[in-house]
Amino acid sequence: MNHLAEYIVALLVSVILMGSLFVFHKFWAKTTKTYWVRIVIIAWMLVVQISFYVTQDIFNKDKPSTFMYWELCNILAWTSIFLMIFPTKLQLDFFMPLAIIGPGLTIFVPVGEGYSFSSFWYYQFYLGHLITLFAYFYIYLFGYTKSQFNWTMIRRSYTFAFFLLTFVMIWNMAYVPNGHNPLEPVPSGESSGNYWGPNYIFGQIINNIGLGYLSLLVQYFLMILVFGPVLLIVSWMILYFTRPIYANCGTEKIKFNFREDILDVKTIFTKQNLKTICKNLINKIKV
């Protein structure tokens, strides 16, 4: 991997900053009484996004395939700015699991971008993803909204992810280069990284694991039925163990017993409970 030292430093900074939300939660709770953290996040994310859009020539009518940049981390970066201004439960329910998947994978999985410490793009890339992740957890953990990990979040995040992936795939198919059939695999000898055009979201996941040669339709079903659910389940598991620490914008500490409220699996999957569940299922089938 190129620039291993840069990756290790970015990884350590990410672990320290995200860990501080839990270890130094009293400090971060005090910051909720002012706006300086949210202002800093907004300012940095605007710098990151504007610099990216300018250099990548986004919204250029001469490049219709990049007219709208539908990468997941780009979407989350913009929504993190809106979250700092208008924190809402609905947005967290929709985007919180995706905020773990997108920036989390980018930070913790080596991507070999080739940025050095002396390059602005090193900080733009890693701190852009890190601050996006931090912004979502900051609002989630310190009670800016009443969002919490429950069945409502699971249903909303899954439904939103399904429609987002469907919309993005339709967009990808609309901008496949001329002569390339999205219903057929990549011909031998062609590069799967460039063959499908931008291939937003799917290219970053499917192609990076070596399956980019598959037709776009197959990529879509793989994401919807296999990789998407797996990634969502992982993000839900993380949210299960990282519950909100405060309520009412950091003014009220939430009390819960870690052993009973989080690790108490035995009381849920008891022999009697399983018998009751099986009996209810059999009754429903008979009806």
Side-chain angles (χ1 to χ4, degrees), residues 223-264:
M223 186 73 78
I224 291 295
L225 301 176
V226 182
F227 299 115
V230 169
L231 292 173
L232 281 175
I233 289 172
V234 171
S235 68
W236 292 335
M237 291 175 63
I238 293 173
L239 288 172
Y240 179 77
F241 289 100
T242 55
R243 301 184 180 189
I245 304 173
Y246 288 83
N248 300 323
C249 294
T251 59
E252 180 183 348
K253 180 74 164 59
I254 299 176
K255 296 180 180 180
F256 62 88
N257 185 294
F258 185 81
R259 181 183 178 86
E260 294 180 0
D261 293 349
I262 294 184
L263 298 180
D264 198 10

Side-chain angles (χ1 to χ4, degrees), residues 75-248:
I75 297 171
L76 291 167
W78 284 115
T79 58
S80 70
I81 296 173
F82 289 107
L83 188 65
M84 294 300 100
I85 302 173
F86 302 111
T88 63
K89 180 180 184 299
L90 187 63
Q91 183 174 337
L92 280 179
D93 286 351
F94 282 167
F95 288 98
M96 190 68 198
L98 297 179
I100 296 175
I101 294 172
L105 283 176
T106 303
I107 294 170
F108 292 100
V109 177
V111 293
E113 288 292 337
Y115 299 131
S116 64
F117 289 124
S118 60
S119 172
F120 165 76
W121 299 110
Y122 171 79
Y123 305 96
Q124 189 270 356
F125 179 80
Y126 281 111
L127 288 182
H129 288 88
L130 174 58
I131 299 304
T132 299
L133 183 63
F134 179 89
Y136 270 90
F137 268 98
Y138 180 73
I139 296 298
Y140 178 72
L141 294 175
F142 294 95
Y144 279 93
T145 73
K146 295 182 179 180
S147 179
Q148 59 181 325
F149 178 70
N150 50 31
W151 286 110
T152 299
M153 176 181 281
I154 290 176
R155 290 195 303 269
R156 286 178 172 177
S157 59
Y158 181 84
T159 303
F160 178 76
F162 173 81
F163 283 108
L164 176 64
L165 289 173
T166 301
F167 168 79
V168 171
M169 179 50 75
I170 292 173
W171 186 280
N172 290 338
M173 288 186 174
Y175 288 103
V176 168
N178 292 333
H180 296 183
N181 189 344
L183 303 181
E184 295 180 358
V186 176
S188 60
E190 294 281 355
S191 170
S192 60
N194 301 318
Y195 188 82
W196 297 123
N199 199 18
Y200 297 125
I201 297 181
F202 295 83
Q204 293 293 318
I205 297 177
I206 301 294
N207 190 63
N208 283 350
I209 61 177
L211 299 176
Y213 65 89
L214 298 172
S215 70
L216 290 186
L217 189 63
V218 173
Q219 291 187 36
Y220 170 75
F221 283 113
L222 276 177
M223 186 73 78
I224 291 295
L225 301 176
V226 182
F227 299 115
V230 169
L231 292 173
L232 281 175
I233 289 172
V234 171
S235 68
W236 292 335
M237 291 175 63
I238 293 173
L239 288 172
Y240 179 77
F241 289 100
T242 55
R243 301 184 180 189
I245 304 173
Y246 288 83
N248 300 323

Side-chain angles (χ1 to χ4, degrees), residues 5-23:
E6 286 84 348
Y7 166 71
I8 293 175
V9 169
L11 188 62
L12 289 175
V13 170
S14 300
V15 171
I16 292 172
L17 183 61
M18 296 305 299
S20 71
L21 289 173
F22 302 92
V23 178

Side-chain angles (χ1 to χ4, degrees), residues 45-59:
M45 293 310 299
L46 284 174
V47 170
V48 167
Q49 289 303 99
I50 292 173
S51 62
F52 175 76
Y53 272 52
V54 170
T55 57
Q56 295 297 320
D57 210 14
I58 309 296
F59 292 128

